[in-house]
Amino acid sequence: MSYEIVLYVIFWIIVGYLLGNVSFGYIIGKDKGIDIRDSGSGNTGTTNALRTMGIKAGLLTFLGDLMKAVIPVFLSGCCAAHFMKAGDDAVYIISLITGLAVTLGHNFPMWMHFKGGKGIAVTAGVTLAIAYDQWLYIVIALLLFVVIVIITKYVSVGSLCVPAWALPVYALIFKRDSRLFVLIMILSLLFTILAFVMHRENIKRLFMGTENKLFSKKPMEAHQNEN
């Protein structure tokens, strides 16, 4: 690996992490005079924004978190291909590393004492940026997520069944013949591991039968770490 490529990857790790630090749930809440960290579950992600501030705020939070992943992941890959003359495998790996940096920035933002969201919208954004030319895969994944959430009424179940596994499954389908398949799969599985780690309290509540359902009117304990 050349010196220039190493510097390029480091650059996008820094940019990705800093962009991940941008908390749209927090920003939208402040605009409404609400500190989302003190509302509902205390989480800065889409589900808590939806529950505490309404559909519009939830949608804006989701789109913001989605695009803060799509843009750097797409740009890092495109620039690597066009300016660094990197091969397809290298471009894919650079895109994954950038996406991982964004996810870590979202989950552990330094300016919020490393307490952020759970990275599902961000992971979806990484998947969209990487798999944009496989539109059928994106549509199927989206439909599966919606169907699972509708059936179970749990966003956490839908998140752990679809977005959390989207990148490893994509690699298994479309990258299994790559020379660097093992590295690609390891990087892809890191997104899955992060999702499950960040949802560990949701998983406990699901087993205990105390997880809050979508649009549930049941009062939530503060800082319960919902999505």
Side-chain angles (χ1 to χ4, degrees), residues 131 133-141:
D133 57 339
Q134 298 292 342
W135 61 268
L136 185 58
Y137 181 81
I138 298 295
V139 170
I140 291 173

Side-chain angles (χ1 to χ4, degrees), residues 92 131 134 137 168-178 181:
Y92 194 86
Q134 298 292 342
Y137 181 81
V169 172
Y170 181 86
L172 200 59
I173 296 172
F174 298 104
K175 292 293 181 179
R176 62 182 181 275
D177 295 326
S178 168
F181 173 73

Side-chain angles (χ1 to χ4, degrees), residues 3-227:
Y3 179 70
E4 290 81 6
I5 288 290
V6 172
L7 288 179
Y8 183 80
V9 171
I10 292 173
F11 169 79
W12 280 107
I13 288 174
I14 295 170
V15 170
Y17 179 78
L18 292 177
L19 285 175
N21 271 243
V22 179
S23 173
F24 285 91
Y26 178 80
I27 293 169
I28 292 167
K30 279 297 185 180
D31 185 60
K32 293 177 173 291
I34 298 170
D35 188 336
I36 193 172
R37 297 172 299 175
D38 297 327
S39 304
S41 66
N43 191 265
T44 61
T46 300
T47 302
N48 195 36
L50 177 67
R51 281 192 173 123
T52 60
M53 297 185 287
I55 293 176
K56 182 180 178 181
L59 181 60
L60 289 174
T61 299
F62 172 76
L63 290 176
D65 288 343
L66 184 82
M67 293 310 297
K68 76 182 182 186
V70 168
I71 293 171
V73 171
F74 186 77
L75 285 178
S76 66
C78 285
C79 291
H82 292 289
F83 300 115
M84 307 295 291
K85 305 301 181 184
D88 290 344
D89 287 344
V91 168
Y92 194 86
I93 289 169
I94 289 169
S95 298
L96 284 175
I97 291 173
T98 303
L100 194 58
V102 178
T103 306
L104 289 171
H106 175 81
N107 292 355
F108 309 105
M110 57 183 177
W111 71 281
M112 296 178 72
H113 306 292
F114 302 101
K115 295 179 180 179
K118 296 192 175 179
I120 293 301
V122 174
T123 300
V126 176
T127 306
L128 182 61
I130 284 176
Y132 69 93
D133 57 339
Q134 298 292 342
W135 61 268
L136 185 58
Y137 181 81
I138 298 295
V139 170
I140 291 173
L142 177 60
L143 289 176
L144 275 175
F145 173 76
V146 171
V147 168
I148 291 171
V149 172
I150 288 174
I151 291 174
T152 66
K153 302 294 191 301
Y154 294 120
V155 176
S156 55
V157 174
S159 299
L160 293 172
C161 287
V162 183
W165 290 97
L167 287 167
V169 172
Y170 181 86
L172 200 59
I173 296 172
F174 298 104
K175 292 293 181 179
R176 62 182 181 275
D177 295 326
S178 168
R179 293 183 301 107
L180 299 175
F181 173 73
V182 173
L183 178 57
I184 288 171
M185 183 56 74
I186 290 172
L187 289 172
S188 300
L189 284 170
L190 288 177
F191 289 89
T192 306
I193 293 168
L194 267 175
F196 274 81
V197 168
M198 300 307 293
H199 281 81
R200 60 192 180 279
E201 294 300 326
N202 300 79
I203 294 170
K204 289 179 184 177
R205 290 195 298 272
L206 284 167
F207 279 109
M208 293 172 62
T210 58
E211 176 78 330
N212 285 311
K213 294 185 177 181
L214 184 64
F215 300 121
S216 171
K217 299 300 182 182
K218 186 171 62 175
M220 298 190 307
E221 182 181 345
H223 302 292
Q224 209 175 24
N225 289 325
E226 296 288 345
N227 276 308

